[in-house]
């Protein structure tokens, strides 16, 4: 059995898996990527409001919002934060279930090919990241 007919199927499955693993981190208001994660913090926590990172939605940072407006926005965000996090967890569980069912539809040979293909892609990504990390040092010399 040739591997060539399996390539399109493996490519589709890897695309599905890649889409489910997209980075869902936000971008700060100044457009820069955040350092670390947006883990909830107890700093500034007030009674009756869920603890979450207090950030204005994209675009609102350029407006001249009053302190009262900011507090109202933060209160709205806190109101929906817990529900949104529960839905994100539910989505992650559904994506894992979907991935398991997709994988179950594959033959053992297709599963082996997919594992090899994913390992190859990870190796390529690691090499690209290594090259990107080394490039600035080379340019400085």
């Amino acid at each position: 059995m040739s591997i060539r007919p399996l390539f399109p199927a493996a490519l589709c499955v890897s695309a599905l898996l890649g889409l489910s693993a997209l980075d869902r981190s936000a971008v700060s208001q100044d457009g820069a990527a955040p350092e670390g994660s947006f883990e909830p913090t107890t700093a500034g926590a007030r009674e009756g409001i869920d603890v979450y990172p207090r950030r204005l939605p994209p675009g609102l940072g350029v407006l001249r919002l009053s302190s009262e407006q900011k507090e109202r926005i933060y209160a709205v965000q806190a109101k929906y934060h817990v529900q949104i996090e529960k839905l994100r967890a539910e989505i992650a569980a559904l994506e894992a279930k979907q991935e398991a069912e997709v994988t179950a539809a594959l033959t053992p040979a297709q599963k082996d090919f997919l594992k090899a293909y994913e390992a190859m892609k990870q190796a390529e990504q690691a090499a690209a990241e290594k090259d990107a990390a080394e490039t600035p040092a080379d340019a400085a010399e």
Side-chain angles (χ1 to χ4, degrees):
M1 178 175 174
S2 173
I3 292 179
R4 186 172 290 263
L6 298 178
F7 186 74
L11 192 58
C12 289
V13 170
S14 65
L16 285 173
L17 296 174
L19 287 174
S20 69
L22 284 176
D23 184 7
R24 295 176 175 90
S25 65
V27 175
S28 67
Q29 292 177 16
D30 62 355
E35 290 197 22
S37 62
F38 288 127
E39 291 299 318
T41 176
T42 57
R46 294 180 312 278
E47 187 177 325
I49 297 179
D50 187 32
V51 179
Y52 67 98
R54 292 169 48 102
R55 301 192 192 292
L56 292 173
L60 295 186
V62 298
L63 302 176
R64 293 183 175 165
L65 299 174
S66 68
S67 297
E68 180 183 312
Q69 288 175 308
K70 288 179 185 178
E71 290 303 317
R72 286 176 54 196
I73 291 168
Y74 296 148
V76 169
Q77 289 174 324
K79 176 181 172 182
Y80 292 101
H81 178 72
V82 172
Q83 291 173 314
I84 290 170
E85 290 305 313
K86 286 179 184 177
L87 290 172
R88 284 186 179 140
E90 188 177 334
I91 289 169
L94 287 171
E95 287 174 340
K97 186 177 178 181
Q98 175 184 352
E99 182 179 338
E101 288 183 30
V102 167
T103 303
L106 303 177
T107 66
Q110 290 170 326
K111 290 177 186 178
D112 291 342
F113 178 83
L114 183 60
K115 284 180 187 176
Y117 179 77
E118 289 172 347
M120 177 189 72
K121 294 307 273 181
Q122 286 178 352
E124 287 176 356
Q125 183 179 2
E129 288 173 359
K130 181 181 176 187
D131 289 345
E134 292 174 355
T135 301
D138 294 341
E141 292 177 7

